Amino acid sequence: MPLCQITFRDGDGEALLGYGMTTVSAVVYSILVLTVRIATDSGAPLMLVLAVRFGAQTAAFACQMAAKRMPLRPVTRSGQLFWLAAGTTISSATALYMIGAALAPLGDAGALSGLYPVGTLIIARLWLHEPLGIAGIPSICLSAAGVTLISSGTHGEATALGNGLFRDTSGVQDEPLKGSIDAASLPIVRPVWGLAAALASSALNSVSYVTVRQAGTSMDALQWMLLYSMLGLLVTLPLCLQPSADQLGFSSFAPWAKVLPCLLAVGGWGVVAQTLLGYGQMMRGCRAGITALLSSSEIVWSYVLQVRSP
């Protein structure tokens, strides 16, 4: 009898494909972060860039659903509950991180929000009875490295949630992202609420991963991805339309021509990254905990690409 024997069960092939798609989505997200940095450095406000990303996703997913004649929401009651829970939890997590990043030191808020894989592992273990398994060991290493990079302040710009939140965690803050809020100008009590918001964002992210996994075949990935993208657009679009000093109020086409390629790239990379993550985490046999850990490796890939403040 061999010392170590590996057996494959039905669905293991799909699970490996799902894990691979999730890992590739993390790499694409890191490219998206780099593109966002280039766009903001070129003069585009951060809220405008995020609105473009969510707008492109909304249009792409809506067109796919129309082509497939897919209903906006699942047809079964259980599917509708999972669909609503997945969309609202991840959108609420996004909004809470925006609050946390505005009120608390960005490195601290990033480290707390980056803990969502740990929460996902715990919830998935209690709710779905998921074992971690040997496949989770390298995933934990990637996630731990990412949180370390954020908390140490060596990672210039990272995203939590795999959802499109971008922040500067360089620690110097000489030139923050356009459209962001300077936490240093806020009263001292507010960072406490900011850290609480970042921690709540992490918890809701964990719930969203487990919810999507538990939904199974009761909803399609396109349905919850469209809902999430629409909610993200509803949040960012009004903010980017508000008049401020950072808005692109150029009288000529030249400044717009400079940022337009970056905005188009942000939209394209956002669609690709979200599609890979959405379908990857819903593959049969994928575990919510490992999927969250692999998704959080985006921070590591961003560091490899040297995405940092200029």
Side-chain angles (χ1 to χ4, degrees):
M1 184 175 179
L3 180 63
C4 180
Q5 184 176 1
I6 300 177
T7 59
F8 290 91
R9 298 169 296 178
D10 183 33
D12 283 352
E14 291 186 40
L16 290 175
L17 177 60
Y19 294 146
M21 293 173 66
T22 302
T23 304
V24 175
S25 76
V27 177
V28 177
Y29 269 120
S30 67
I31 300 174
L32 176 61
V33 173
L34 175 60
T35 309
V36 168
R37 167 57 72 182
I38 295 174
T40 55
D41 286 347
S42 300
L46 178 60
M47 285 298 112
L48 173 62
V49 178
L50 294 179
V52 168
R53 182 222 162 160
F54 287 121
Q57 291 180 189
T58 299
F61 299 148
C63 289
Q64 292 182 59
M65 292 180 65
K68 295 182 177 181
R69 297 183 178 180
M70 183 183 300
L72 181 63
R73 59 182 184 178
V75 294
T76 64
R77 182 172 180 80
S78 61
Q80 292 173 6
L81 292 175
F82 284 125
W83 168 75
L84 187 60
T88 54
T89 52
I90 194 171
S91 299
S92 300
T94 299
L96 283 170
Y97 176 74
M98 294 176 69
I99 296 173
L103 300 182
L106 294 174
D108 296 339
L112 286 177
S113 63
L115 293 174
Y116 71 92
V118 178
T120 305
L121 283 170
I122 296 174
I123 297 175
R125 178 62 179 171
L126 296 176
W127 184 9
L128 306 180
H129 307 288
E130 287 187 354
L132 179 59
I134 194 171
I137 296 177
S139 303
I140 290 176
C141 294
L142 286 174
S143 179
V147 173
T148 302
L149 288 174
I150 291 179
S151 59
S152 64
T154 58
H155 177 60
E157 186 177 337
T159 65
L161 328 176
N163 305 345
L165 291 175
F166 308 95
R167 70 266 190 183
D168 183 349
T169 57
S170 61
V172 179
Q173 305 291 329
D174 289 333
E175 296 182 7
L177 291 176
K178 295 179 175 61
S180 60
I181 302 175
D182 183 9
S185 63
L186 299 174
I188 190 65
V189 70
R190 294 194 176 183
V192 177
W193 291 106
L195 295 177
L199 193 59
S201 170
S202 175
L204 286 176
N205 250 323
S206 301
V207 173
S208 71
Y209 272 91
V210 178
T211 301
V212 170
R213 179 66 266 160
Q214 179 68 5
T217 58
S218 63
M219 70 175 180
D220 190 270
L222 279 174
Q223 292 173 321
W224 78 262
M225 288 192 299
L226 176 61
L227 176 62
Y228 161 63
S229 300
M230 291 175 61
L231 292 175
L233 183 61
L234 288 176
V235 171
T236 56
L237 188 58
L239 293 176
C240 76
L241 292 179
Q242 290 181 357
S244 69
D246 290 329
Q247 298 299 321
L248 289 174
F250 302 132
S251 58
S252 64
F253 178 74
W256 283 99
K258 182 180 179 181
V259 300
L260 185 59
C262 296
L263 295 178
L264 293 175
V266 165
W269 288 124
V271 171
V272 174
Q274 189 63 59
T275 300
L276 288 170
L277 177 61
Y279 281 106
Q281 68 182 119
M282 294 193 72
M283 284 287 182
R284 186 164 58 112
C286 285
R287 298 171 183 168
I290 296 179
T291 300
L293 285 164
L294 291 174
S295 178
S296 68
S297 68
E298 175 271 326
I299 300 170
V300 179
W301 304 123
S302 293
Y303 184 74
V304 171
L305 290 176
Q306 298 297 301
V307 182
R308 59 184 64 179
S309 299

